[in-house]
Amino acid sequence: MKIIKSRRKTLSLQITEDANLVVRAPNSMSRKIIYQMIIKHKDWIEKKQKEMLRRSQLKDKVINRKMFLYLGNQYKLQIVKDQKVPMIFDEGFFLSESHLNDEKEILLKWYKVKSYEIIAERVDIYATKYGFKYRKIKITSAQKRWGSCSSNGNLNFSWRIIMAPMEVIDYVVIHELVHLVERNHSRSFWEKVKSLYPQYAKYNEWLKENGYLLNL
Ligand SMILES: [Zn+2]
């Protein structure tokens, strides 16, 4: 709190942008009276301070725009007012101001939904093309295990791989499809992967180098 005395005739209260209280008072006004006035306007002061804090936090978020990966590209997260849905993706992430506090949850949900959409499509394309039979596709949150194939023919993929470029996603998809017929990483497994996706080594390498980036 800051008290500024001057030749003014009345007292005024102001909340600054960083939520501090500034009191402007006449030279002759005693401290006791000033404090009485502050107490009298306590509710107004608190309400204003809260509002200013919220605004400055919002400003920080907008200025420190965060970047998130999607299909190998980085997109900004921006805060928008008056948006009815929590988040829209349109060459950038547009988060509704009213969802500032659950930004991570909303992004995570979006990545999970989107990853199922993309991965299921890629699996279907390659399974049809090369004649693989699988049962179900499940999306996981695994940190490093980008994909796995269960003995009953279910395929699991971490939602994180949709942060990677499409070529990397395709490599993971083909890798798991080949596991349907070759359970372990034998020489014949890798030969089969190579015959279906000759550039696979490059993308396997990409995951080893950049995998830590596939994170929220
Ligand atoms: Zn494998």
Side-chain angles (χ1 to χ4, degrees), residues 58-75:
L58 189 65
K59 219 164 92 191
D60 281 347
K61 292 241 181 188
V62 174
I63 292 165
N64 308 317
R65 281 172 187 164
K66 294 180 203 160
M67 306 290 284
F68 292 95
L69 279 168
Y70 173 51
L71 299 179
N73 296 311
Q74 286 204 316
Y75 295 100

Side-chain angles (χ1 to χ4, degrees), residues 83-145:
Q83 181 174 276
K84 286 194 183 82
V85 292
M87 197 189 75
I88 292 172
F89 178 83
D90 184 11
E91 296 303 302
F93 295 95
F94 296 90
L95 183 73
S96 160
E97 187 192 8
S98 55
H99 283 278
L100 265 185
N101 294 329
D102 35 44
E103 163 199 313
K104 241 190 174 169
E105 260 170 65
I106 287 168
L107 276 164
L108 183 62
K109 200 173 151 200
W110 183 85
Y111 274 107
K112 282 184 174 171
V113 170
K114 207 70 192 163
S115 64
Y116 184 82
E117 235 175 82
I118 292 171
I119 293 164
E121 195 191 356
R122 303 313 283 176
V123 168
D124 190 54
I125 289 171
Y126 288 112
T128 308
K129 193 171 170 189
Y130 299 125
F132 290 108
K133 293 231 173 339
Y134 64 97
R135 284 182 65 197
K136 269 190 269 174
I137 293 169
K138 221 179 88 190
I139 299 299
T140 73
S141 293
Q143 291 276 355
K144 282 269 165 64
R145 208 166 186 221

Side-chain angles (χ1 to χ4, degrees), residues 20-31:
N20 277 318
L21 171 64
V22 176
V23 184
R24 289 191 173 78
N27 280 325
S28 60
M29 197 177 264
S30 72
R31 281 213 158 233

Side-chain angles (χ1 to χ4, degrees), residues 147-148 171 175-176 179 183-185 189-190:
S148 63
Y171 157 64
H175 182 123
E176 297 315 324
H179 273 320
R183 290 278 147 207
N184 44 39
H185 295 127
F189 167 83
W190 288 113

Side-chain angles (χ1 to χ4, degrees), residues 4 98 142 149-150 153 185 214:
I4 302 168
S98 55
C149 173
S150 67
H185 295 127
L214 312 183

